[in-house]
Amino acid sequence: MEIKAEKVRKILFLVIAIAVPTAIFLIRDLDNDTWFMLNHGRYILKNGLYPEFEPFTVHEGLHFTFQKWLCCILFWVIYKYCGKLALKVFCLIVYLAFDLVMYKLLEYIRPKASTQHMFTIAVMNIFMGQFMFTRPQLFTYLFLAVEILELEKYVKEHNVKLLAVIPLLSFLEIQIHSTIWPILLIYMLPYMFDFSFSAKVCEKVKVLNQTEYKKLPIWIAFFVSMLVALINPYGFESIVYLVKSLNIKELAILIYEVRAPQFFSSNVLFIVLTIVFCLYGLYKSKATELRYVFFIGGTVLMAMMSTRQLSFLIIPAAMVFEYFYDFKEIKPFTKNILLIILCALMVVPIYDAYEKQVNIQQYKVDVGDFLAEYVGNPKGVKVFNSSDEGSYLEFLGFKAFNDTRAEVFSDKINNKKNSLKDVIKFDWELVPYTEYIYQYDYKYVVVQKAYKKQCSAMNKDKNLKKIYTNRLYNVYEIKNAD
């Protein structure tokens, strides 16, 4: 009877694991980051990879590179020939491929424990829900899972050929998502620094184990991965793009994903649970691999520093959870309770995707669609905006003041002007709107209603005509724009 119940639980865990990403990808419409990628992909196929300056905004002379060029092209081709739904389904397939690789990794760590693997992946997907967007990071997660699987196999099987895939992943990642490319190298560090001198530490700290394997092949794979990454349209510039972006202090002000997670958030909850489960697992088993200590310790620090880096903790956390715990030791009643909890928790990321789509994203699209219809031919028409709705406006043909590529507007990247300071001043209502909207020959202004002081003053401006409003935005036409 219990065998039958175990099969039912495994099926339900599987259903939850698949249902969460499927629902999220189908509910979420294309967001602003995706719209600028589609715009970029379309531009690349028409004009090539080497615009001397940024071509989409009102700004002139901003140094620019297509950092996600291959993914932009891929997304645009799918969108152009197959439509929006096909693009979302494609991204869902990439994510499910990541799930499949994670399953193989978990099976390698703890063989013949399929119910446990389904449970772990279901929990992983619930917390990964905040990262399930039509963006190139989906490929990054897939590549990271493949990399860990090959490294774990190498540690146990000592087959150097397994490491050959890592430079290939590095080459693909630099073309698809160069801003996050260094993460592939960071994931190799726990396996590289598990040196022989650590054996002395392991001898003194009785709970630490060190599996013997040759480190030199991993170091070689590491440096080869760095070398092949130089084979990209922008060379060394793509390699250092992330490092340069980290020096832009305005990003933490404008982008919540860059900031440390809020104390009362699912991110902090996951970090705390990871630490607690790892410490308890260590106490219970009295042993762990030194590389796992490095792995969890490093990614916990990353997740504490930045909200978006939680995804890089979730992957090794799933792996280490399987290493410490055996689902077969859990009583059936407890398993049923866990199933009920998962059923309740899966609603959270799905509802979050729905709520943000209905109450935020759709209003941004509505603004762009209205303005495009109002203007008739939006190509080259200049629009002032301070938020990320500019990406969709640019996709439609408008030239906007700001979009989702925040780092592009920093002088550390564009080598000319730091427009991010202007965005912050406008958003914080430190400077009157008149210092912005009468520049660059703007024809229209799109402003969030949340900026009450700015909107109140603009409503009284006789040179501005309010032509559209929704729950989040006001759109004004500048009467004497010429």
Side-chain angles (χ1 to χ4, degrees), residues 204-439:
K204 294 182 178 180
V205 184
K206 301 299 182 181
V207 297
L208 295 179
N209 294 330
Q210 186 184 41
T211 303
E212 289 296 328
Y213 59 95
K214 294 181 179 179
K215 314 301 186 300
L216 181 60
I218 301 180
W219 278 81
I220 293 174
F222 180 89
F223 285 109
V224 172
S225 296
M226 292 186 66
L227 289 175
V228 299
L230 290 170
I231 308 173
N232 72 81
Y234 309 107
F236 189 70
E237 186 170 3
S238 289
I239 299 291
V240 300
Y241 194 85
L242 176 61
V243 176
K244 292 169 68 176
S245 298
L246 291 176
N247 292 324
I248 304 173
K249 60 182 180 181
E250 290 85 3
L251 292 185
I253 299 175
L254 293 169
I255 306 175
Y256 86 93
E257 293 178 345
V258 179
R259 298 193 290 268
Q262 296 180 355
F263 186 78
F264 294 103
S265 65
S266 61
N267 290 40
V268 171
L269 173 63
F270 188 88
I271 293 170
V272 172
L273 287 176
T274 298
I275 295 173
V276 170
F277 275 105
C278 285
L279 290 177
Y280 180 73
L282 188 60
Y283 168 79
K284 180 184 176 185
S285 62
K286 306 299 182 186
T288 188
E289 295 286 338
L290 184 61
R291 66 184 184 277
Y292 292 166
V293 175
F294 290 156
F295 211 168
I296 290 295
T299 49
V300 162
L301 289 176
M302 291 171 61
M304 291 171 64
M305 293 166 57
S306 170
T307 297
R308 67 183 177 187
Q309 292 185 149
L310 177 73
S311 59
F312 305 128
L313 167 62
I314 293 175
I315 297 172
M319 178 180 71
V320 174
F321 174 82
E322 294 262 339
Y323 174 81
F324 277 131
Y325 298 96
D326 188 350
F327 223 53
K328 295 175 183 177
E329 298 177 357
I330 301 177
K331 296 179 180 180
F333 176 78
T334 304
K335 292 180 182 179
N336 293 336
I337 295 297
L338 291 174
L339 179 59
I340 294 172
I341 293 173
L342 274 188
C343 289
L345 287 178
M346 70 178 289
V347 176
V348 176
I350 294 174
Y351 176 78
D352 182 69
Y354 170 80
E355 193 274 336
K356 288 182 178 178
Q357 171 59 33
V358 172
N359 292 322
I360 298 178
Q361 183 60 34
Q362 188 58 50
Y363 288 103
K364 298 179 181 181
V365 173
D366 289 345
V367 166
D369 290 343
F370 164 80
L371 203 53
E373 183 178 356
Y374 184 84
V375 173
N377 180 17
K379 186 175 181 180
V381 176
K382 297 178 180 179
V383 178
F384 173 79
N385 72 297
S386 67
S387 301
D388 56 9
E389 65 278 338
S391 292
Y392 185 59
L393 293 171
E394 291 166 4
F395 176 80
L396 295 173
F398 293 101
K399 281 188 173 291
F401 176 76
N402 187 38
D403 58 38
T404 53
R405 306 161 302 158
E407 72 279 358
V408 174
F409 300 98
S410 170
D411 54 349
K412 291 182 174 63
I413 297 294
N414 63 47
N415 299 332
K416 184 177 181 181
K417 181 182 179 181
N418 186 2
S419 299
L420 296 179
K421 291 182 178 180
D422 294 331
V423 173
I424 293 172
K425 289 178 181 178
F426 184 87
D427 288 357
W428 289 8
E429 302 184 289
L430 300 175
V431 178
Y433 71 93
T434 51
E435 294 194 17
Y436 296 93
I437 69 170
Y438 295 118
Q439 300 178 18

Side-chain angles (χ1 to χ4, degrees), residues 80-263:
K80 179 180 180 181
Y81 294 104
C82 302
K84 184 190 300 183
L85 178 60
L87 179 56
K88 294 198 287 185
V89 171
F90 172 77
C91 290
L92 171 62
I93 292 172
V94 174
Y95 187 86
L96 292 178
F98 158 67
D99 276 349
L100 179 60
V101 176
M102 285 297 298
Y103 181 89
K104 291 183 176 296
L105 172 62
L106 300 179
E107 179 67 19
Y108 193 80
I109 293 172
R110 185 173 293 280
K112 299 180 181 180
S114 56
T115 302
Q116 180 170 346
H117 305 334
M118 289 296 98
F119 169 78
T120 302
I121 291 175
V123 173
M124 180 187 75
N125 285 353
I126 288 172
F127 282 95
M128 286 286 285
Q130 60 187 301
F131 307 106
M132 294 178 190
F133 291 91
T134 48
R135 298 179 190 170
Q137 63 199 35
L138 302 175
F139 290 98
T140 302
Y141 303 144
L142 174 60
F143 294 164
L144 290 174
V146 172
E147 180 182 49
I148 300 174
L149 177 60
E150 297 307 303
L151 286 168
E152 283 293 312
K153 283 185 175 181
Y154 169 74
V155 168
K156 296 180 180 180
E157 300 175 15
H158 308 287
N159 185 353
V160 177
K161 294 180 180 179
L162 293 168
L163 302 177
V165 72
I166 296 178
L168 175 60
L169 296 175
S170 175
F171 174 77
L172 292 174
E173 179 72 4
I174 202 71
Q175 323 300 332
I176 292 175
H177 199 193
S178 64
T179 50
I180 305 297
W181 165 81
I183 299 297
L184 284 173
L185 302 183
I186 291 173
Y187 262 43
M188 297 179 71
L189 297 180
Y191 298 84
M192 294 167 58
F193 286 94
D194 194 2
F195 284 132
S196 57
F197 73 80
S198 302
K200 296 180 180 179
V201 177
C202 293
E203 289 177 4
K204 294 182 178 180
V205 184
K206 301 299 182 181
V207 297
L208 295 179
N209 294 330
Q210 186 184 41
T211 303
E212 289 296 328
Y213 59 95
K214 294 181 179 179
K215 314 301 186 300
L216 181 60
I218 301 180
W219 278 81
I220 293 174
F222 180 89
F223 285 109
V224 172
S225 296
M226 292 186 66
L227 289 175
V228 299
L230 290 170
I231 308 173
N232 72 81
Y234 309 107
F236 189 70
E237 186 170 3
S238 289
I239 299 291
V240 300
Y241 194 85
L242 176 61
V243 176
K244 292 169 68 176
S245 298
L246 291 176
N247 292 324
I248 304 173
K249 60 182 180 181
E250 290 85 3
L251 292 185
I253 299 175
L254 293 169
I255 306 175
Y256 86 93
E257 293 178 345
V258 179
R259 298 193 290 268
Q262 296 180 355
F263 186 78

